Amino acid sequence: MRLYEDLRGVQQRVSVLQSGTAGLLGLLLAAFWYLQVVRVGYYRMLAENNHKREVRIPASRGPIFDRNGRILVENRSSFNIVLSTEHAKDLDHSAFQVASLLGLGRELSRQRLTGPRFRSVVVKADASEADVAVIEARRLELPEASVDVVPLRSYPLGAAAAHVLGRVGEATEKQLESKAFEGVDPGSIVGQAGIEAHYNRLLMGRDGYRRAIVNSRGVEVREDSRQLPTDGPAATLTLDGRLQAAMEEAMAGLAGSAVALDPQTGEVLGMVSSPAYDPNLFSAGIDLGTWSSLVRDPKTPLINRVIQGQYPAGSTFKVVTALAALQEGVIGASTSFHCPGYLNVYGTLRRCHKADGHGTLDLARAIALSCNVYFYQVGVRLEIERISRYAKLLGLGGATGIDLPGEVSGLIPSPEWKLRVLKTPWFPGETVSVAIGQGQVLVTPMQMARLAAVVANGGYLVRPHLLRGEPTGEDRQGLDLKPATLETVRAAMLAVVREGTGRRAQLPGFEVAGKTGSSQVVAHERLERDKTAPELQPHGWFLCFAPADRPRIAMAVLVEHGRSGSESAAPVAGRILARYFGLANPSPPAAAPAIPPDGE
C-alpha cells in the first residue's frame, strides 16, 4: 500500500511533465507555423534586403538657356562619398574612420549623420579623385562606405544673374513635409531660390535606381537590376545674355539693382541685384562658415533687390501723379504753376530742391526739371484718395506676379491704411509728400520698370515673366488711360533726357525717355549735419524706355546711396542702353550746361 502511494506521486509528476512538454511542443509548432506560413512574405522580404541593396540614381535637372540658346545653368558629373547606415555595426566609429581618411573633422561627420530619416548619408559631396581612390582602396575594411557618381548643378556665369537663376540644395525636413514636395525623396537636390525654386518640379527629372547583390559583410558582389533615370527637360528664359552681361558690367562695384523688360510682352530681358553671390557655392552643399558669412554680410548679397528691395520712389513717382492728374482733368498739359523755391502747405513751408525756384513752368518742364513745388500744387488738388487709387492701378503697392519666389508688395499709403495700421487719421499735409514719392511710399525696382512700360506701350500693365513661352491674356491688362494723357507724360519724359535731369542717359541716334529721382534715406536735418556720410546719401533712381517712338526696352535702375538719379542711375542706364543698341559707351554731351539735380 505504501509502495502504491509512493508511485502515485511519481505518476502525477510525470503527467504534469508530459502535459508541459506537449504544451511547449504545441507552442513551438504554432510559432513555426506563424513564422513560416503567416509571415513568410515579410521574412522573405527581409532576407532579400539582407543580400540586396538599392541605390538611387539621381536624375539630372534640366539645363537652362537664355532666349538666344546660350547656356546659363548646366550639370557636371561629380563623386559623392556615401556612408550606408544599414550595414554599419558602429555608425559613429565608421563615420569617424571615413572622415579621418578624407581629412574631415569629426564634428562635421556627426552633423551629417543626425536626423530621423537617413538610411545613407553623403559624407563628402563633390569629392576629388584622390578621395575616391582612398575609399575604393578600403572597400573590404569599410563596406559601409561607397562612391556614387551624381550630377552636380553648375553655373558657368558665376555670380552673374544669380538672383534670377537661384540655387539648389538638399531638400530640408520642412520642405519634405510640405505638399509642394510630395513624392520627393530625402536627400534629393531641389531648387532653393530663383528660377530653380519656382520651377523646381519642371526642372526635376525622375530618379532611377540600381539594385546590387551584397554579401554578409555588405560588400557588393554584382548588380542585379537597373532602372535608368529620366533627366529633367530644358527651360528657356526670356533673358538676353548680352544685355545681362552689359547690366552686370554697368552695376559692378555698386549696391543696387537694374531690371529691363520688353514693354509690350513683359518678358524680363535682364535683371541684376548687386552685390550678388556665387550659386556654385551651394551645389555641393555649403559649409556652415560660408553660409554664416553670407547671412551676416551687411551688404545682404542673398537679397534680390529687384523684387525684395523696398525704397521710397522719390521723384520717379511724379510720373504716377502726372498720369492721375491728367486722367482726372485736374490739370492739362499746359497748366502752369509758379515755383519760387517753396510753398506754404497748410501752414508748413515745403521747399523745392532748387532754393531759388524754377519760376513759372508747365507740366513737361516740371517733370524735366523735377520741380517739387509744381507737384505739391498738383497733390493738393488731387488729394490722397485719387493718388493712392492710381498708384495701385499702375501696379504699385502689390506684387507684380513675376515667376520668382519671395516678391514683396511695397506700400502705397491711404487714409484707410493709416487708420488701420497706425491708428491715426490722415492729415492733408501728408498728401504733398506722397505726391513726390516720399512719406510712406515704398516701391520695388520691378514695379517701377513696369510703370515705365505702361507709358511706353500705350497704357497696358504687363506681367513680368522669365520663362519663355506663348503669351496669354493675363500678361497684358488695359488700364483705359486716355491717349492724350499718355502722350503728354511720354513727351515730358523725353524732355527729361533731352534737356532735363536725365541728360547723362542720352544716346547718339536714339531718343531715350526717362525720369530721375532721389529716394530720401534720412531726414534733411540729419543729412545737413553730416553731408559726407555715404550711408546717409539718398538712393538714385532712373526709369526709362527706348527708342522713345518705338520702345523695345523699358528699364529701372536704382543705385543705393547714389546721391541722385541724375548723378548715379542715369549714367548706368546710358551705358546699358548703349550696349543693348550696339553703341560705344556714351559720354555726357560736350559743352552741355551742368545737369540740375533731380527733386526728392
Side-chain angles (χ1 to χ4, degrees):
M1 188 70 178
R2 187 176 300 170
L3 177 62
Y4 173 74
E5 290 176 355
D6 291 342
L7 288 175
R8 189 172 58 180
V10 173
Q11 288 173 345
Q12 288 176 344
R13 287 194 291 272
V14 169
S15 297
V16 171
L17 182 61
Q18 288 174 337
S19 299
T21 304
L24 289 173
L25 286 172
L27 289 174
L28 189 59
L29 289 172
F32 284 151
W33 179 82
Y34 177 77
L35 293 174
Q36 296 185 14
V37 178
V38 177
R39 300 280 285 170
V40 64
Y42 171 75
Y43 288 107
R44 181 178 290 120
M45 181 186 68
L46 288 181
E48 289 289 318
N49 289 339
N50 279 336
H51 79 279
K52 284 185 180 180
R53 177 188 296 167
E54 184 172 293
V55 178
R56 183 169 59 92
I57 305 176
S60 296
R61 292 174 68 85
I64 302 176
F65 299 90
D66 82 341
R67 65 191 302 120
N68 300 311
R70 182 185 180 187
I71 190 71
L72 299 175
V73 185
E74 59 187 350
N75 303 287
R76 64 178 177 85
S77 294
S78 69
F79 300 107
N80 282 354
I81 308 299
V82 177
L83 191 62
S84 178
T85 62
E86 58 188 313
H87 294 288
K89 294 180 179 178
D90 185 342
L91 182 59
D92 188 62
H93 178 68
S94 298
F96 177 67
Q97 282 186 294
V98 173
S100 299
L101 289 172
L102 299 176
L104 304 174
R106 180 167 188 167
E107 290 305 311
L108 176 62
S109 65
R110 280 178 168 274
Q111 280 184 351
R112 292 186 181 274
L113 291 172
T114 54
R117 291 181 176 269
F118 68 83
R119 282 176 60 84
S120 62
V121 291
V122 177
V123 177
K124 185 173 185 179
D126 198 20
S128 66
E129 292 184 1
D131 293 331
V132 172
V134 166
I135 297 300
E136 289 292 342
R138 289 166 173 79
R139 290 188 65 186
L140 292 176
E141 303 169 38
L142 293 168
E144 57 270 34
S146 60
V147 178
D148 287 348
V149 180
V150 297
L152 192 70
R153 210 57 164 158
S154 176
Y155 301 86
L157 303 183
H163 294 94
V164 179
L165 303 174
R167 59 183 186 271
V168 296
E170 187 173 325
T172 64
E173 288 291 324
K174 186 176 181 181
Q175 286 174 324
L176 292 171
E177 292 168 0
S178 69
K179 190 173 181 181
F181 290 85
E182 189 175 351
V184 174
D185 294 325
S188 294
I189 299 299
V190 298
Q192 301 289 359
I195 285 292
E196 294 275 27
H198 189 86
Y199 290 111
N200 181 60
R201 283 291 187 181
L202 172 68
L203 294 168
M204 284 184 73
R206 189 173 68 249
D207 291 345
Y209 62 85
R210 180 175 66 85
R211 289 196 180 100
I213 305 298
V214 296
N215 62 21
S216 59
R217 297 189 60 193
V219 177
E220 184 175 318
V221 177
R222 61 181 175 84
E223 186 175 292
D224 180 61
S225 61
R226 177 186 291 258
Q227 174 68 53
L228 294 177
T230 302
D231 293 343
T236 299
L237 302 187
T238 60
L239 292 184
D240 183 322
R242 291 178 297 117
L243 176 62
Q244 182 71 31
M247 295 173 75
E248 299 279 354
E249 183 180 322
M251 288 295 296
L254 299 174
S257 60
V259 57
L261 305 176
D262 181 324
Q264 307 302 328
T265 65
E267 291 184 341
V268 179
L269 304 176
M271 181 192 295
V272 174
S273 177
S274 178
Y277 64 93
D278 186 352
N280 288 298
L281 295 172
F282 294 82
S283 295
I286 191 167
D287 64 86
L288 186 59
T290 305
W291 170 250
S292 296
S293 67
L294 286 172
V295 170
R296 296 173 183 173
D297 191 334
K299 296 179 180 178
T300 61
L302 294 176
I303 297 296
N304 184 349
R305 287 165 162 80
V306 176
I307 63 171
Q308 295 174 320
Q310 300 183 92
Y311 309 89
S315 287
T316 57
F317 193 83
K318 292 170 183 174
V319 173
V320 174
T321 306
L323 287 169
L326 289 166
Q327 187 73 5
E328 290 290 306
V330 171
I331 62 170
S334 59
T335 300
S336 297
F337 294 111
H338 183 72
C339 170
Y342 60 88
L343 182 69
N344 192 309
V345 183
Y346 303 110
T348 301
L349 201 64
R350 301 276 183 167
R351 298 193 178 277
C352 193
H353 63 89
K354 187 178 181 184
D356 56 353
H358 292 100
T360 301
L361 66 178
D362 62 9
L363 177 63
R365 190 155 177 78
I367 289 180
L369 300 179
S370 205
C371 176
N372 286 345
V373 167
Y374 188 98
F375 283 92
Y376 292 153
Q377 299 271 22
V378 175
V380 169
R381 287 158 175 76
L382 260 179
E383 299 182 338
I384 186 59
E385 288 81 4
R386 286 191 286 192
I387 296 175
S388 178
R389 176 159 56 87
Y390 273 90
K392 291 175 181 176
L393 178 73
L394 292 162
L396 307 184
T400 67
I402 187 171
D403 43 353
L404 286 176
E407 183 181 18
V408 299
S409 298
L411 174 64
I412 297 299
S414 66
E416 296 78 16
W417 167 84
K418 189 181 180 191
L419 195 60
R420 185 180 71 254
V421 176
L422 303 181
K423 312 300 182 186
T424 57
W426 188 269
F427 298 106
E430 297 175 271
T431 302
V432 294
S433 292
V434 175
I436 64 167
Q438 295 294 159
Q440 296 100 338
V441 174
L442 292 174
V443 298
T444 68
M446 180 60 78
Q447 292 171 344
M448 300 309 282
R450 194 161 66 148
L451 172 63
V454 168
V455 182
N457 65 25
Y460 291 91
L461 191 65
V462 295
R463 181 183 66 85
H465 57 278
L466 282 154
L467 188 68
R468 203 160 192 205
E470 292 297 322
T472 67
E474 298 177 355
D475 291 338
R476 280 168 61 95
Q477 175 190 347
L479 301 182
D480 296 325
L481 297 175
K482 300 171 187 175
T485 295
L486 291 161
E487 185 53 43
T488 299
V489 174
R490 190 180 295 115
M493 293 177 70
L494 194 55
V496 170
V497 181
R498 279 180 178 171
E499 59 192 47
T501 57
R503 287 205 299 274
R504 287 192 175 95
Q506 288 180 3
L507 296 180
F510 289 87
E511 289 274 31
V512 179
K515 181 69 191 84
T516 58
S518 295
S519 172
Q520 187 175 319
V521 176
V522 295
H524 278 295
E525 296 76 14
R526 185 179 176 192
L527 183 59
E528 285 297 318
R529 289 196 299 269
D530 192 354
K531 294 182 179 180
T532 60
E535 69 277 6
L536 302 184
Q537 302 306 313
H539 304 315
W541 277 105
F542 188 65
L543 314 184
C544 63
F545 56 87
D549 55 344
R550 284 188 172 184
R552 290 161 46 192
I553 183 172
M555 186 162 56
V557 176
L558 175 86
V559 178
E560 293 182 1
H561 308 296
R563 301 177 64 88
S564 71
S566 58
E567 182 179 343
S568 57
V572 170
R575 291 193 293 272
I576 294 170
L577 291 173
R579 288 277 298 276
Y580 182 71
F581 291 117
L583 306 174
N585 283 341
S587 56
I595 295 175
D598 40 295
E600 293 167 353

